[in-house]
Amino acid sequence: MVEIKDVTFSYPGEETGGSLHHINFEIRPGECVLLCGKSGCGKTTITKLINGLIPHFNQGNLQGETVVDGMTVADTPMYQLSEKVGSVFQNPKSQFFNIDSDSELAFGLENNGVDPEIIRKSVKKAVTDLHIESLLHRNIFSMSGGEKQSLAFASVYAMNPNIYVLDEPTANLDREAIALLQQQLKQIKQQGKSIIIAEHRLYFLAEILDRAVFIIDGKIVREFSREEFLSLTDEERREMGLRTLYQRNPSYQIKGQGGGELEVKNLAYRDKHHAIFENISFSASAGDIIGILGKNGAGKTTLMRCVAGLLKESSGEIYYHGKPIRGKDRNSICYMIMQDVNHQLFGESVWNECELSTDGTLQDAEIEKSLEEFDLLRFRDKHPMALSGGQKQRLAIVTGIVAGKQVLIFDEPTSGLDYDQMCVVSQTLKKLAEKGHILLVVTHDMEFLELTCKQAIKVGVI
């Protein structure tokens, strides 16, 4: 049982506004509760109340109390809470403590002083139950974003908590991995576990959720039963800023070779052990928005890093306006917005982050316009690391826009974004295409692909 009793909370520096206002609700054993609403509405803050990050790590003005399995969270040490509550964060790297996957799977149990033999059995059971044999004996830093997310979930599963708290767990997952997560959630629910999930992608929860809690600006506006939530019309859903409730199967044209300013010919990349991708060829013209599709770990991001000049390909060539262009020269025409945006946010404020991305010639009014389009202008003086996951993602996209490069590469640009902001990203990419940019977009987001891309290339077998 989880009980949140009249909780009001504000982070330091936000005392006048506040992040949560008089939150009251409970989660019963075996129940799956969805927290939904636009980016920055307070979903993640509520998850932090339950797993104890508030108030044990995130300080602020807290009123009211949260009770988990009879324990008042504020008065209970984190090690005790971790025995009852398992958390999977939006950025899985933030919860890893090891370099290799096997050690990570065992870490939580080892940290709680569990007998080694029980640890071995628990890890083996987690691997078997979740079908993640392919993640064993791996360097975590060599994994794709989706593989890291699956490992993070398995590490929590091995600890066998009664309550699972998940924050945007599908943000980096392909369709197959989302289907696997769906089965995993069904499994733990059948075991009587409680699930609290903050999500923007909703379709995979249709068969699992019991209730949906809709939040606006830190306030619970309405609670829906499963039947009420799934009965929302598309118009009602869009007005609420929510993603589709049903799986999309978009149609698109496979992009091949044949003219264009940018030509990729027989590109391959191999690490010390095996080929990441081989014989990739395609061309792109000004105004193209091309989706880059493939399973987690297929090499989509690696391919884009080669195109951007961030990695050196093993073989093949890239041409720009008919002439070969080497890696270091590609940096002058390409800008890549990474999947983990924490790697590319360096500024002291949101405004300063945009300034760092320009060559000094961009007018302040143009930066203001881009920030306003993505609902970030009100955070202009805030440190980038203090933004929510979705807000950081939007800021990274803005930096790519203001950089003014000809080839813009987006790696999962809609992860962590609500429906409205996904539409803003889609419209922005279309506007950039109209201005003559070439846009390459790595995505697992079929709703976004349907809205944005008429052409795509496939990396690996999907």
Side-chain angles (χ1 to χ4, degrees):
M1 173 76 81
V2 175
E3 299 173 275
I4 299 179
K5 303 178 180 180
D6 195 26
V7 169
T8 294
F9 177 79
S10 59
Y11 292 98
E14 297 182 356
E15 287 80 3
T16 56
S19 300
L20 296 177
H21 304 276
H22 301 289
I23 300 296
N24 286 282
F25 75 98
E26 64 181 37
I27 300 114
R28 295 177 286 275
E31 190 175 33
C32 177
V33 176
L34 166 68
L35 304 177
C36 60
K38 295 183 179 181
S39 296
C41 70
K43 302 185 299 296
T44 296
T45 302
I46 291 177
T47 66
K48 290 180 178 180
L49 291 173
I50 298 169
N51 62 25
L53 291 179
I54 295 175
H56 293 291
F57 285 90
N58 295 120
Q59 302 300 311
N61 180 20
L62 175 64
Q63 301 172 35
E65 68 175 5
T66 304
V67 179
V68 173
D69 201 23
M71 303 179 293
T72 301
V73 169
D75 300 330
T76 305
M78 283 295 289
Y79 74 87
Q80 281 185 249
L81 286 171
S82 69
E83 294 175 356
K84 301 292 183 180
V85 183
S87 298
V88 180
F89 302 138
Q90 182 175 349
N91 179 7
K93 288 173 62 178
S94 65
Q95 66 188 96
F96 290 152
F97 293 89
N98 297 278
I99 296 175
D100 67 287
S101 57
D102 295 38
S103 297
E104 190 59 40
L105 287 168
F107 177 80
L109 295 164
E110 291 175 340
N111 200 45
N112 285 346
V114 175
D115 180 84
E117 183 59 30
I118 295 177
I119 292 175
R120 283 189 284 271
K121 290 180 179 178
S122 298
V123 168
K124 184 177 180 180
K125 184 177 188 301
V127 170
T128 302
D129 288 354
L130 303 181
H131 309 290
I132 58 162
E133 288 82 3
S134 64
L135 299 185
L136 290 176
H137 320 309
R138 297 273 301 278
N139 183 315
I140 290 175
F141 293 101
S142 70
M143 292 181 173
S144 70
E147 288 172 327
K148 289 173 184 172
Q149 192 71 289
S150 294
L151 177 64
F153 183 85
S155 301
V156 171
Y157 185 90
M159 296 179 68
N160 194 31
N162 291 326
I163 300 163
Y164 284 74
V165 176
L166 300 95
D167 188 8
E168 298 287 350
T170 68
N172 302 315
L173 300 186
D174 62 33
R175 184 177 294 197
E176 185 177 286
I178 291 175
L180 178 58
L181 175 65
Q182 182 186 51
Q183 292 303 314
Q184 293 166 349
L185 293 177
K186 286 181 181 178
Q187 186 170 330
I188 61 176
K189 187 180 178 184
Q190 289 169 357
Q191 295 170 3
K193 312 294 187 182
S194 300
I195 303 168
I196 301 94
I197 181 166
E199 256 292 0
H200 288 304
R201 295 182 188 172
L202 306 176
Y203 73 86
F204 75 100
L205 293 170
E207 301 175 13
I208 305 171
L209 68 86
D210 296 294
R211 283 185 293 140
V213 177
F214 179 55
I215 305 161
I216 298 178
D217 294 333
K219 299 177 182 178
I220 293 178
V221 176
R222 184 176 171 185
E223 289 191 35
F224 295 85
S225 68
R226 176 180 176 274
E227 292 73 19
E228 290 172 335
F229 193 65
L230 296 179
S231 296
L232 289 171
T233 66
D234 283 344
E235 184 179 355
E236 290 171 327
R237 171 182 61 79
R238 292 187 188 112
E239 286 179 358
M240 295 166 65
L242 301 181
R243 295 294 207 97
T244 181
L245 302 177
Y246 303 98
Q247 185 166 300
R248 312 300 258 191
N249 294 292
S251 59
Y252 50 82
Q253 175 187 353
I254 298 297
K255 184 67 175 176
Q257 286 182 280
E261 288 91 330
L262 181 70
E263 293 184 85
V264 175
K265 296 185 177 181
N266 300 316
L267 215 66
Y269 182 85
R270 304 173 184 86
D271 63 14
K272 295 178 180 178
H273 306 291
H274 63 289
I276 304 300
F277 64 82
E278 292 184 294
N279 300 321
I280 298 291
S281 298
F282 67 93
S283 62
S285 303
D288 283 346
I289 309 176
I290 300 175
I292 313 298
L293 310 182
K295 294 181 179 179
N296 289 129
K300 303 180 300 297
T301 297
T302 303
L303 170 63
M304 291 298 99
R305 286 177 176 167
C306 289
V307 171
L310 301 176
L311 284 177
K312 180 175 174 55
E313 60 274 8
S314 302
S315 61
E317 290 185 289
I318 296 177
Y319 293 81
Y320 188 63
H321 287 293
K323 297 180 180 179
I325 181 168
R326 300 192 180 280
K328 63 179 182 179
D329 296 322
R330 291 176 212 154
N331 286 308
S332 64
I333 63 166
C334 297
Y335 188 94
M336 184 168 182
I337 296 94
M338 299 180 184
Q339 183 175 10
D340 184 354
V341 295
N342 292 299
H343 289 317
Q344 62 186 119
L345 297 178
F346 306 103
E348 296 178 359
S349 67
V350 167
W351 186 268
N352 179 236
E353 193 68 52
C354 294
E355 289 180 319
L356 291 174
S357 298
T358 71
D359 58 5
T361 62
L362 199 66
Q363 298 295 316
D364 286 357
E366 295 178 79
I367 296 178
E368 281 189 15
K369 182 181 178 182
S370 292
L371 288 174
E372 181 66 37
E373 263 193 310
F374 283 81
D375 193 25
L376 290 172
L377 188 57
R378 58 194 171 114
F379 303 118
R380 60 177 293 162
D381 298 321
K382 196 169 185 177
H383 196 284
M385 290 300 109
L387 299 175
S388 73
Q391 290 163 349
K392 287 179 186 176
Q393 186 72 30
R394 301 204 304 267
L395 177 57
I397 294 169
V398 170
T399 62
I401 293 168
V402 301
K405 301 293 179 70
Q406 175 63 18
V407 181
L408 298 176
I409 301 171
F410 296 85
D411 194 356
E412 295 290 352
T414 59
S415 63
L417 298 192
D418 58 41
Y419 177 81
D420 290 348
Q421 291 303 328
M422 178 198 70
C423 291
V424 169
V425 172
S426 178
Q427 289 301 319
T428 300
L429 265 59
K430 290 174 182 177
K431 289 177 183 177
L432 290 168
E434 289 172 2
K435 293 178 181 179
H437 290 279
I438 295 170
L439 305 176
L440 307 176
V441 188
V442 175
T443 186
H444 295 128
D445 188 341
M446 294 298 105
E447 187 177 11
F448 173 70
L449 184 76
E450 181 180 51
L451 195 63
T452 312
C453 306
K454 292 185 173 67
Q455 303 176 96
I457 68 167
K458 296 180 179 181
V459 181
V461 180
I462 62 174

